[in-house]
Amino acid sequence: MSARPRKLVLAVIDGLKPSALEKAVADGRAPVLATLIDRGTYVDDCCAAFPSVTPCCAATIATGRRQDDHRIASMNWYHRDERRYVEYGSSFGAARRIGIAKQLGDLIYRMNHEHLPADVPTVFERLDDAGVRTAGTTYLFYRGRHEHQPSKESPMSRLATTVIRKPVKGPRELFYADLFASRETGCWSRLGMPGLRDQHTGCVGAYLVEHDLCDFMLFSLPDNDTHSHEHGPDAQVASIAEADRQLERLVHAGGGIDAFLAEHAVIVVADHSHALVEKRIDFFEGFADYAVLPANGARPDRAEIALCPAQRSAMVYGLVPEARATLLPRLVATARGIDGVDVVMWRASDGTAAVARGVGNGGPVPAGELRFAPGDGPRDTRGESWIVEGDLDVLELRVQDGRIASDAYPDALARIWAALSCATSGDLLLSAAAGREFPDWGDSDHVDAGSHGSLHADDSLGALIYCGVEPPPERAEGPAAGSRWSGWSIADITPMALRHFGVEP
C-alpha cells in the first residue's frame, strides 16, 4: 500500500517577478519563501499564457490547459453569441462604462459556470472526484463539486446578498471575498478590497491548517499585483514581504517550518510577471475611422469592429463575417500604423496557419512576416514541433540543432497558436512594445507603474518554487539547447498537483 501523500498548498502570488523575489529574499524580507527555495527548487522563468493577463493565466493554472481549451480569452473580450463585451475587472471606470452589474455577474458567476467549458475540469473538480479534501481562498477560478450558498456571516456580506443571490459550485471549503464562506472563521476581507485580500487568505488558510480541514489548498495572494500596478515592478519587495507574512501564518498554524513541511508540500507560482509602463498607446484613436461597438454594446448592428484592450495586449473583432476577407487586411494595416504596437497576429484565411507580423517603425521588431503551424519541424522548449516559414526575426526566433526558441518572446509559437485558436478570441491580436500599454474602456492605464499582458519575457516569465512535490518528467530534464528558457509553463501546475495525489492529468 502506497504512503499517503503530504497535503499540498498551491500559493499563487499574482504578478510575482523573479528579480523582485530574489531581492526580497536577499534583503531578508521573505524568510518563508527563502526557506522554500533552500529546501526545494526555484525556477525564474515559468512562462505565462498570452495574453499574459490574470483571467487567462489563472484559468491556465486552474485547469492545466491553454485558452484554446479553456476559452478565457483575456481580461476584456467580445461575446459573439450575446453580442456584448465581457469585462472581468480592468478598472472601476471600465466596469462603469460596460455595466457594473454585468461585470460582477461575469466575474463571480459566468466566468466559472458559463465561460469556462464544463468539459474542462478545474484542479478542484479533479481532486474532488478523487476524494481529496479541497479548499480555496479568493481566486478567479473556484469551480468544484460542492455547492455553496451566499454568505450572510458579516454585515457587508449580508448587504452583498441583495445582488449575489445564486449558489455556486466550488471546492469543499470555499472562501471568496466574504461572498461565499463554507464555515465561520472570523476572517473578513471587506468584500475583497485590495490590500486586505492577502490578509484574508492568510487568516482563512491558518484556520484550515489549524483545524485540519483540507488536503489541497489553493492559497491566493493577489495584492502583489495591485501593489505593482500602483508603484511599479521595483516596488514589489514590500508586497512580497506581505505575501510572505501570510505564508508564515500557515507555517505557524502548522507548528513551525519543520513540522509544517513534514506535513505539507508547497508550490508557489506567479501567474505572470510585470513590466514598467512609460507611455500609453492611442488604441481607440487608432481605429477611429471604423464603426466601433460602444462599451455598453448598444446598436451592435451598426458596429464594424469590437475593441478589447487588456493592459499590454489587445484584441480586435470583426463583426461583419461576410466582410472578413477585405476587413482583416485593413485592420492589420491600421494596427501596424499605431505607435507602440509591437507584434500583430492573426489566423490565415484558410485557418491552417498563424501569422505574426512585426511593426517596424524603427522599433526592435522588424516589419517582416512569419507563418507557422504545428507540424513536422523544429521543436520548441516544451517539445512541440512546428512548421515555420518567413522572417524568424519577427519573434527573435533562432533554430539550432533542431530546436526553435526565443529569449525575448518565450514559448511564442505555442502561446500565439493557443490564443488564435481560442473560440472567444479576437480576429486580430496585438502585443505592446516595451514600456507601452493600451488604455482600457475606462481610459485607465498604469503609466509610471507596472503592467503586463504582452508576449515579451518581461511580462511573461514569473517565479516558481516547488518543495516536496515532483516536477513533470519532461521539465526535470533541464533547458533546451540554445535557450536559457527551461520550458516551464503555468500549464504544468495542475498536472503537478494531480500527480501528487495519484490522479493522472
Side-chain angles (χ1 to χ4, degrees):
M1 184 175 179
S2 61
R4 178 185 175 188
R6 278 186 275 184
K7 299 168 187 175
L8 175 60
V9 173
L10 168 56
V12 181
I13 302 180
D14 200 329
L16 180 61
K17 193 171 184 67
S19 59
L21 170 62
E22 292 158 14
K23 189 173 191 310
V25 168
D27 291 350
R29 302 283 301 276
V32 176
L33 291 167
T35 299
L36 293 174
I37 291 171
D38 183 58
R39 300 192 187 185
T41 300
Y42 171 54
V43 176
D44 67 355
D45 54 5
C46 184
C47 195
F50 171 71
S52 49
V53 291
T54 298
C56 182
C57 294
T60 296
I61 290 174
T63 64
R65 312 269 278 274
R66 287 181 166 147
Q67 69 265 42
D68 49 346
D69 286 332
H70 67 59
R71 298 188 182 182
I72 306 299
S74 189
M75 177 72 76
N76 174 245
W77 54 277
Y78 175 73
H79 200 307
R80 291 183 175 93
D81 291 339
E82 298 181 6
R83 305 175 80 184
R84 69 177 182 90
Y85 291 106
V86 171
E87 169 58 51
Y88 292 138
S90 300
S91 68
F92 182 67
R96 286 185 63 189
R97 289 200 64 192
I98 287 172
I100 291 176
K102 288 180 183 177
Q103 191 266 340
L104 287 174
D106 285 334
L107 179 67
I108 296 170
Y109 288 113
R110 289 184 285 271
M111 174 188 279
N112 280 270
H113 298 292
E114 295 179 19
H115 302 162
L116 183 68
D119 61 353
V120 179
T122 69
V123 64
F124 295 122
E125 290 172 309
R126 294 296 311 277
L127 293 178
D128 283 338
D129 291 344
V132 175
R133 298 179 302 161
T134 56
T137 65
T138 308
Y139 191 66
L140 290 182
F141 293 91
Y142 57 76
R143 200 175 71 196
R145 303 300 190 193
H146 302 270
E147 184 169 287
H148 299 274
Q149 297 291 333
S151 175
K152 297 181 181 179
E153 188 177 352
S154 72
M156 292 192 74
S157 62
R158 287 194 293 272
L159 177 63
T161 57
T162 61
V163 177
I164 309 301
R165 297 179 179 180
K166 295 187 294 184
V168 297
K169 288 290 191 73
R172 176 173 164 174
E173 302 287 345
L174 174 65
F175 302 89
Y176 185 99
D178 300 338
L179 300 177
F180 300 95
S182 50
R183 63 182 67 232
E184 293 187 7
T185 61
C187 304
W188 319 112
S189 71
R190 293 186 184 176
L191 303 182
M193 291 293 292
L196 296 175
R197 295 174 298 180
D198 284 11
Q199 294 179 37
H200 180 245
T201 286
C203 180
V204 166
Y207 184 96
L208 293 170
V209 169
E210 181 181 356
H211 293 86
D212 187 22
L213 293 172
C214 62
D215 303 309
F216 170 79
M217 183 197 312
L218 198 157
F219 191 77
S220 176
L221 297 166
D223 284 336
N224 179 69
D225 181 73
T226 304
H227 190 82
S228 189
H229 276 312
E230 292 178 355
H231 305 288
D234 290 341
Q236 280 195 16
V237 171
S239 47
I240 291 170
E242 177 58 31
D244 194 88
R245 280 191 284 273
Q246 306 314 315
L247 288 166
E248 189 174 19
R249 295 173 77 171
L250 281 189
V251 168
H252 180 74
I257 192 66
D258 293 329
F260 182 80
L261 292 180
E263 290 284 331
H264 296 82
V266 180
I267 301 171
V268 178
V269 68
D271 52 349
H272 51 73
S273 189
H274 264 255
L276 181 66
V277 174
E278 298 169 322
K279 189 177 180 181
R280 57 194 272 153
I281 296 169
D282 290 333
F283 180 52
F284 293 98
E285 294 85 347
F287 289 94
D289 291 338
Y290 296 80
V292 177
L293 183 74
N296 63 8
R299 298 181 176 179
D301 292 332
R302 299 188 181 186
E304 193 177 11
I305 62 172
L307 297 179
C308 294
Q311 298 176 42
R312 285 180 29 81
S313 65
M315 299 189 295
V316 183
Y317 294 72
L319 304 186
V320 187
E322 58 271 21
R324 186 181 192 276
T326 56
L327 179 61
L328 186 60
R330 288 174 52 212
L331 293 173
V332 170
T334 299
R336 293 183 69 224
I338 299 174
D339 182 40
V341 172
D342 187 29
V343 184
V344 181
M345 296 146 279
W346 68 96
R347 286 293 287 265
S349 57
D350 61 4
T352 61
V355 185
R357 186 173 290 178
V359 170
N361 296 334
V365 178
E369 183 172 295
L370 180 73
R371 297 171 67 93
F372 59 93
D376 187 14
R379 293 185 177 273
D380 62 21
T381 51
R382 291 182 62 79
E384 299 177 49
S385 58
W386 299 91
I387 298 171
V388 183
E389 300 175 350
D391 190 350
L392 296 179
D393 287 341
V394 169
L395 297 174
E396 298 189 32
L397 290 162
R398 62 182 180 279
V399 179
Q400 179 181 345
D401 300 326
R403 305 301 291 261
I404 189 165
S406 170
D407 289 339
Y409 304 97
D411 199 22
L413 302 182
R415 295 163 71 204
I416 294 171
W417 185 265
L420 290 173
S421 301
C422 174
T424 56
S425 284
D427 297 291
L428 199 67
L429 274 60
L430 311 180
S431 183
R436 306 300 291 274
E437 185 185 39
F438 299 94
D440 67 24
W441 271 105
D443 201 38
S444 296
D445 59 53
H446 300 98
V447 172
D448 296 327
S451 192
H452 48 91
S454 85
L455 272 172
H456 200 273
D458 281 351
D459 302 45
S460 305
L461 296 183
L464 166 67
I465 307 165
Y466 57 95
C467 181
V469 60
E470 293 298 318
E474 60 273 20
R475 298 284 77 77
E477 296 174 0
S483 174
R484 77 169 186 85
W485 188 53
S486 64
W488 274 97
S489 165
I490 57 174
D492 293 321
I493 304 307
T494 277
M496 286 177 72
L498 296 179
R499 288 192 182 100
H500 181 77
F501 290 102
V503 179
E504 276 302 307

